[in-house]
Amino acid sequence: MKVFFSLLLCSSIGFASLNSINSFKADFTQSVTDDRNATLHYSGNLAAQKPQNAVWHYLLPIQKDVYINKYSVTIIEPEIEQVIFRRIETKFDFFNMIQNAKKINSNTYEAQYQNKNFIIKMQNNFIEEILYSDDFENKVSIVFTNQKQNIKIEDKKFIADYPSDFDVIRD
């Protein structure tokens, strides 16, 4: 589900005016709360660009980089010197889903995918927060700050770079 959410977010960057937004950069704080009310917090930054490129740099509590494109996800975990490659097998049209989200009120929209609801909160034409429940019924909130859109992002930013001596796992 984490991979799906990353893909959803990559596509949701253009929600305010989907056809005019081509790129998005922001800092994020992600909170995951389980059924016992225990919460884990993550933070970092991301860059995303149409059609389906994204890179999430998790900085706290551990370093991890997640690169996403139309066909695959690459996860680099420097602390354990490991790289995981996963093929994306779903034919999900992210931008279409977001474009068809229903407006709940002036700043809140709801999108659905695979029987899950995603709440998208907007502020000043930027995505401010995305809320959803993952496959384990954890409540997930991702809050964005320092958002920038339609800025130049070089394609090479979306290419995973890692040391050749890292263990490689192909899923």
Side-chain angles (χ1 to χ4, degrees), residues 98-162:
I98 298 301
Q99 187 174 11
N100 292 316
K102 293 182 177 26
K103 191 172 192 173
I104 296 172
N105 63 42
S106 63
N107 294 322
T108 306
Y109 298 81
E110 180 178 38
Q112 293 192 1
Y113 176 69
Q114 292 186 343
N115 298 319
K116 293 202 180 299
N117 292 329
F118 294 83
I119 303 298
I120 302 164
K121 295 186 177 183
M122 304 291 295
Q123 186 69 32
N124 299 323
N125 291 322
F126 287 107
I127 294 175
E128 181 177 74
E129 182 177 20
I130 296 180
L131 303 154
Y132 69 100
S133 292
D134 68 15
D135 289 338
F136 303 104
E137 298 304 318
N138 296 315
K139 294 177 183 171
V140 180
S141 164
I142 300 181
V143 176
F144 300 99
T145 57
N146 302 317
Q147 303 98 315
K148 297 176 185 168
Q149 54 193 38
N150 290 334
I151 60 171
K152 175 81 172 132
I153 302 174
E154 293 190 30
D155 290 340
K156 68 182 180 181
K157 178 152 182 80
F158 302 106
I159 299 171
D161 186 27
Y162 56 91

Side-chain angles (χ1 to χ4, degrees), residues 26-30 41-47 55-67 76-79 145-146 157:
D27 296 327
F28 70 88
T29 302
Q30 179 177 355
H41 298 279
Y42 304 90
S43 63
N45 57 69
L46 77 106
V55 59
W56 292 75
H57 296 292
Y58 286 85
L59 303 173
L60 294 172
I62 62 168
Q63 266 193 305
K64 177 178 11 181
D65 298 319
V66 180
Y67 293 82
I76 301 172
E77 299 191 58
E79 292 185 21
T145 57
N146 302 317
K157 178 152 182 80

